[in-house]
């Protein structure tokens, strides 16, 4: 029994007919061909599949596609804009916040949700926020540095925006 | 991993969900999905129908009841509980909630789902045991209130009957003469408690505590009240002495992460720490 659903993905309304058992991450990767969202553990541990559903970071391997019907979904592909990379993407690049890069999309989505609610987190708050995202390369230190740098850049950007 | 095929219905109201459950023996409820979806992906659970109650706003949120108690809607997520000003007054919730699951799990996981799942190492059951919470469950034909002390019946087994949905959890209102705390040692990879202890202590008169409640998770077959500890405290024993009774009468679990001897030891340590922290909050 296929279910019809409509999801706004990165600002664009997308529709699909899916089996109820289709996972959100499969909808994103296989039906919508947005393969920046990764499947790491597939058991809700590693966070590589993290996306935003209605502004909240969720593990898309542990949510049914039908549960996202009518929702606003943002994936890593929705982070950069016409002006260029998102400040988090730039900071991960500049501060060597990735090595193999597999965890990076999920890491950035979790970090983006953190910074939306806490624009100036401490290192402890950053580490607590990304506890559900595993990186097996970096030892996390440069990821924390990158998120801290992105937070500073975004605060400076919003201040500049407010002044102009 | 892909779940076995099932039919899916999104409930339009609690009554709609209850009617669908009553009409279909093969139906299970899904809310945040953080417990049932992993089970379904492993095919340890194969419901024929999933009734999705996740969007029922009538089961979300925290409110104070006219009698001063606090009702937490079954669909209230961990993230919503952390942000709630009423629940912020409970020391043991402040201790425990930020460390349950992770950011993403706390955004989806609900209090009702957590206790319906009845994982023997879940944190929330120990907290609700120490608070003497009540679970309100409704079926298509009746509503009943289940004391939390008789809710957990075994590993992944509760007093909830087929066709029932948890609607809310009721907590006692805060008291100035009572302190509470949560202390746990977790298995680092899973985050589940090897021994997690919630303590509520207060109503001191002279050198005796009039009120003491201790909930323990991760240690026995299901979360339990450490009644021997509570009796010792009320009888005037020191916290250190009372804590030695942490596992009295309990068949202590043993696994690759913590054998019986070690788990018995850390259960007593966590009981002591939780009681000390709860008492310290009284100032």
């Amino acid at each position: 029994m296929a279910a019809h659903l409509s999801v706004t993905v990165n600002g664009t309304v997308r529709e699909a007919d899916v089996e109820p058992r289709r996972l959100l991450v499969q909808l994103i990767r296989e039906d919508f061909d947005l393969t920046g969202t990764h499947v790491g553990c597939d058991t809700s541990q590693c966070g590589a599949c993290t996306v935003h559903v209605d502004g909240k970071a969720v593990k898309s391997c542990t949510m049914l596609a039908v549960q996202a019907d009518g929702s606003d979904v943002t994936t890593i592909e929705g982070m950069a804009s016409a002006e260029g990379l998102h400040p988090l993407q730039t900071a991960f690049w500049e501060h060597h916040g990735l090595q193999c890069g597999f965890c990076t999309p999920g890491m950035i989505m979790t970090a983006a949700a953190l910074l939306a609610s806490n624009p100036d987190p401490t290192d402890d708050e950053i580490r607590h926020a990304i506890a559900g995202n595993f990186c097996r390369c970096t030892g996390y230190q440069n990821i924390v540095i990158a998120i801290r740098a992105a937070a500073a850049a975004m605060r400076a950007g919003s201040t500049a925006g407010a002044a102009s | 991993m892909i779940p076995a095929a099932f039919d899916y219905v999104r409930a339009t109201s609690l009554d709609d969900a209850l009617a669908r459950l009553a009409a279909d023996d093969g139906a299970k409820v899904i809310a945040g999905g953080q417990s049932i979806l992993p089970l379904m992906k492993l095919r340890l659970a194969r419901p024929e129908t999933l009734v999705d109650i996740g969007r029922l706003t009538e089961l979300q949120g925290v409110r104070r009841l006219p009698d001063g108690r606090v009702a937490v809607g079954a669909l209230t997520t961990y993230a919503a509980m952390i942000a709630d000003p009423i629940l912020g007054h409970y020391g043991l919730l402040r201790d425990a909630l930020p460390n349950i699951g992770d950011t993403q799990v706390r955004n989806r996981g609900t209090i009702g789902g957590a206790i319906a799942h009845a994982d023997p190492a879940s944190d929330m059951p120990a907290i609700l045991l120490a608070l003497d919470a009540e679970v309100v469950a409704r079926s298509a034909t009746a509503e009943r209130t289940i004391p939390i002390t008789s809710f957990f019946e075994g590993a992944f087994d509760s007093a909830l009957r087929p066709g029932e949905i948890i609607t809310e959890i009721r907590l006692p209102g805060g008291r100035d003469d009572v302190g509470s705390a949560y202390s746990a040692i977790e298995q680092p990879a899973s985050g589940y408690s090897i021994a997690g202890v919630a303590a509520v202590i207060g109503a001191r008169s002279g050198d005796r505590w009039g009120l003491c409640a201790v909930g323990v998770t991760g240690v026995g077959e299901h979360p339990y009240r450490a009644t021997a500890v509570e009796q010792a405290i009320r009888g005037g024993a020191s916290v250190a002495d009372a804590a030695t009774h942490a596992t009295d009468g309990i068949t202590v679990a043993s696994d690759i992460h913590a054998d019986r001897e070690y788990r018995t030891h850390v259960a007593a340590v966590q009981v002591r720490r939780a009681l000390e922290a709860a008492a310290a909050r009284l100032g």
Side-chain angles (χ1 to χ4, degrees), chain B residues 78-150:
Chain B
Y78 290 114
M81 285 191 277
I82 289 169
D84 187 84
I86 296 176
L87 297 185
H89 291 294
Y90 294 80
L92 77 183
L93 289 174
R94 291 200 305 277
D95 291 340
L97 288 172
N99 296 311
I100 292 177
D102 52 44
T103 301
Q104 298 94 319
V105 171
R106 290 191 295 272
N107 279 338
R108 296 283 304 159
T110 66
I111 185 172
I115 63 170
H117 184 51
D119 189 301
S122 175
D123 297 296
M124 192 51 72
I127 292 161
L128 298 181
L129 280 165
L131 287 172
D132 257 328
E134 290 178 341
V135 179
V136 182
R138 196 181 296 176
S139 71
T141 54
E143 180 178 280
R144 66 184 178 125
T145 302
I146 309 165
I148 195 74
T149 44
S150 55

Side-chain angles (χ1 to χ4, degrees), chain A residues 42 59 61 66 69 128-129, chain B residues 1 10 41 55 98 102-103:
Chain A
D42 202 12
K59 292 179 174 176
C61 80
V66 287
D69 183 22
H128 187 253
Chain B
M1 296 182 293
R10 184 178 300 137
K41 290 173 70 179
R55 298 188 185 192
D102 52 44
T103 301

Side-chain angles (χ1 to χ4, degrees), chain B residues 252-267:
Chain B
V252 176
S254 191
D255 60 28
I256 58 168
H257 304 302
D259 66 17
R260 184 158 291 134
E261 181 184 1
Y262 174 73
R263 195 178 244 108
T264 301
H265 174 74
V266 294

Side-chain angles (χ1 to χ4, degrees), chain B residues 4-281:
Chain B
F6 55 86
D7 290 331
Y8 172 88
V9 284
R10 184 178 300 137
T12 55
S13 66
L14 177 59
D15 287 340
D16 176 44
L18 292 169
R20 290 177 184 277
L21 278 186
D24 184 351
D25 288 344
K28 295 280 278 184
V29 171
I30 185 168
Q34 301 303 288
S35 297
I36 196 170
L37 281 179
L39 288 180
M40 289 172 62
K41 290 173 70 179
L42 292 166
R43 303 210 176 186
L44 294 171
R46 301 171 72 115
E48 292 168 20
T49 305
L50 270 191
V51 178
D52 187 354
I53 62 169
R55 298 188 185 192
L56 301 183
T57 51
E58 62 200 287
L59 299 184
Q60 295 171 8
V62 180
R63 64 198 168 95
R64 193 170 292 278
L65 299 171
D67 63 7
R69 291 187 300 162
V70 173
V72 183
L75 291 182
T76 310
T77 63
Y78 290 114
M81 285 191 277
I82 289 169
D84 187 84
I86 296 176
L87 297 185
H89 291 294
Y90 294 80
L92 77 183
L93 289 174
R94 291 200 305 277
D95 291 340
L97 288 172
N99 296 311
I100 292 177
D102 52 44
T103 301
Q104 298 94 319
V105 171
R106 290 191 295 272
N107 279 338
R108 296 283 304 159
T110 66
I111 185 172
I115 63 170
H117 184 51
D119 189 301
S122 175
D123 297 296
M124 192 51 72
I127 292 161
L128 298 181
L129 280 165
L131 287 172
D132 257 328
E134 290 178 341
V135 179
V136 182
R138 196 181 296 176
S139 71
T141 54
E143 180 178 280
R144 66 184 178 125
T145 302
I146 309 165
I148 195 74
T149 44
S150 55
F151 187 80
F152 300 106
E153 297 185 337
F156 306 102
D157 190 14
S158 77
L160 209 59
R161 295 174 187 144
E164 282 185 326
I165 292 176
I166 298 171
T167 58
E168 68 183 21
I169 291 89
R170 292 179 183 153
L171 312 178
R175 285 172 55 164
D176 291 339
D177 62 341
V178 169
S180 71
Y182 188 74
S183 181
I185 179 169
E186 296 179 346
Q187 201 277 318
S190 72
Y192 276 95
S193 288
I194 289 171
V197 176
V200 175
I201 194 168
R204 194 176 178 98
S205 169
D207 61 352
R208 297 287 178 91
W209 297 102
L211 190 157
C212 177
V214 177
V216 182
T217 191
V219 175
E221 189 187 8
H222 57 78
Y224 64 93
R225 279 277 291 268
T227 50
V229 174
E230 298 168 5
Q231 285 163 12
I233 290 286
R234 286 197 297 268
S238 69
V239 165
D241 287 343
T244 63
H245 298 288
T247 55
D248 283 10
I250 298 299
T251 302
V252 176
S254 191
D255 60 28
I256 58 168
H257 304 302
D259 66 17
R260 184 158 291 134
E261 181 184 1
Y262 174 73
R263 195 178 244 108
T264 301
H265 174 74
V266 294
V269 171
Q270 297 305 326
V271 167
R272 177 175 58 74
R273 289 180 184 171
L275 283 168
E276 286 173 350
R281 287 205 166 121

